[in-house]
Every structure is written in C-alpha cells, then in structure tokens.
Amino acid sequence: TFKRQSADCRSELKNLRNTVCGSKKLKQEVITIEAKQRKGARLEINDCSVGAWRPQECMNTKVAQQLEKQGIYNPQKAVTARRPLKSILHKCGPGGGIQWFLRGKVSPPQTPQYGASCPPLRLKTVCNDFECPVNCKLSDWEGWSACSKSCDGGLKRRIRGVTVYPQWGGDECDATKDEQTCNALSCDRPCLL
C-alpha cells in the first residue's frame, strides 16, 4: 500500500542520512589524526553541498534530445518565435517525454583533496507516460421527427450519434436525444347543444 511504501521510504532516507553523517564524522577524525601525526593544524573538511532539485516541465523527447546536445535543460530557455513552448512540451502519450531535474552548487568543496565532490546536478527521467484523454465527439443533430399529435400538445424528437467515445478521462458526451413540445393548440371539438 501507499502508506507502507511511504513509511519504508522515510525509514530508508533516515538510514541514508545517518550513514552520510557517520561517514563525515569518520572522515573528519581520520584527517584530524593525520594532521596530529604531521604536527599540523586540524583541517576542517567541507564537502560540496547542493540545493534542492528543481523539476522542469516535461518535454517532447525529440526536442529534449536536441536541446540536451546544446546544453539546454529548461524548456523555457528554448522558446523562440519559431518554437513556441507548446511545441516543446509533452502533455501525454505512449513513451512519455523527458523531464529534467536541476540543482545548483550551494558551495563547492573547500578542501578538494579531502572533501567530497559534488553529486550530479542534473537528473533525466521519463514523464507523462500515459494515454492522452480522448473527448467525446458527437455528430450533427438529425432533423426533427414529425409531431406525435396533431393538436393538444405532442412531442417531436431528434437524435445525434456518438462518433468518438470518451476514453482515459476525456470529457463525457452531451445529450444524444432531444425533445420539444409541438402542436400545443387544443383540438377543435364539435359543439354539443
């Protein structure tokens, strides 16, 4: 279930944070011992630190591959008069598109020989890999039927067919049948004396 997976994920993240923290402490102790053996000053280790991931919009795969060769990972930076944003983005469809997650360096390693280098600053993933919604499409209304009564109020009807049925969350169909009253005047009746 989702709750169980979320709990497992939080537990795994906590374990990873503890491992990273423990590794940093261990590395700092080793450097401190080494500095004492060399009768040098204690060396403070500063690893590279990076900011949070910033998700970019999902792009059409072919366009994203072309932009990647140019070093462009943010679709907003690729918009031109000849290439509007709409033609770059991928909303849905089999195979999906490409989405980049970007982050920047907050601080580079201050002690490159000891500090950890920066982790990747870009991450590429598949996005919007689902069928596009298909909206209902209806044919034109057929003509009205003859009125069901010649007087005292009858009904006339018309219909239209469904040409495309909705799928994958598309808009449902409007009415395919319609009725109107007709010949509402009262019928002439013979006069009784």
Side-chain angles (χ1 to χ4, degrees):
T1 67
F2 178 73
K3 286 184 178 183
R4 173 117 172 91
Q5 288 176 335
S6 292
D8 290 347
C9 188
R10 282 193 297 278
S11 175
E12 183 67 22
L13 283 172
K14 183 178 178 182
N15 290 339
L16 289 171
R17 275 193 221 103
N18 290 340
T19 300
V20 168
C21 186
S23 297
K24 285 182 179 181
K25 286 181 182 178
L26 180 62
K27 185 168 41 170
Q28 188 66 55
E29 286 303 313
V30 169
I31 298 302
T32 302
I33 292 169
E34 185 179 302
K36 285 180 184 176
Q37 290 174 348
R38 289 184 287 123
K39 296 184 175 37
R42 183 171 192 265
L43 183 62
E44 192 67 34
I45 297 174
N46 292 313
D47 295 332
C48 176
S49 60
V50 294
W53 288 111
R54 295 181 323 276
Q56 305 304 302
E57 293 177 271
C58 185
M59 291 189 279
N60 172 293
T61 302
K62 288 182 182 176
V63 173
Q65 289 168 343
Q66 293 169 353
L67 295 175
E68 183 179 359
K69 290 176 185 172
Q70 300 170 37
I72 299 173
Y73 306 98
N74 180 341
Q76 299 289 341
K77 293 183 178 178
V79 174
T80 63
R82 292 179 58 215
R83 184 188 273 165
L85 185 62
K86 187 175 181 178
S87 71
I88 296 171
L89 300 182
H90 178 82
K91 297 291 182 195
C92 55
I98 291 177
Q99 182 178 23
W100 287 95
F101 288 81
L102 307 174
R103 61 183 172 183
K105 294 178 187 176
V106 174
S107 63
Q110 301 298 315
T111 49
Q113 67 273 30
Y114 299 112
S117 58
C118 292
L121 302 176
R122 292 186 303 271
L123 172 70
K124 179 169 55 170
T125 185
V126 173
C127 55
N128 296 348
D129 184 13
F130 51 83
E131 294 290 343
C132 295
V134 175
N135 296 331
C136 175
K137 290 188 181 170
L138 300 169
S139 64
D140 291 334
W141 287 105
E142 293 181 9
W144 288 101
S145 68
C147 192
S148 62
K149 294 170 101 179
S150 59
C151 55
D152 281 342
L155 289 175
K156 61 181 180 179
R157 295 179 177 93
R158 67 179 180 168
I159 59 171
R160 60 181 171 178
V162 176
T163 57
V164 177
Y165 286 90
Q167 295 181 21
W168 304 296
D171 293 340
E172 293 295 321
C173 297
D174 289 332
T176 57
K177 296 177 183 176
D178 190 16
E179 290 183 340
Q180 269 187 356
T181 58
C182 54
N183 297 338
L185 296 175
S186 63
C187 295
D188 288 337
R189 292 187 172 68
C191 189
L192 296 174
L193 296 173

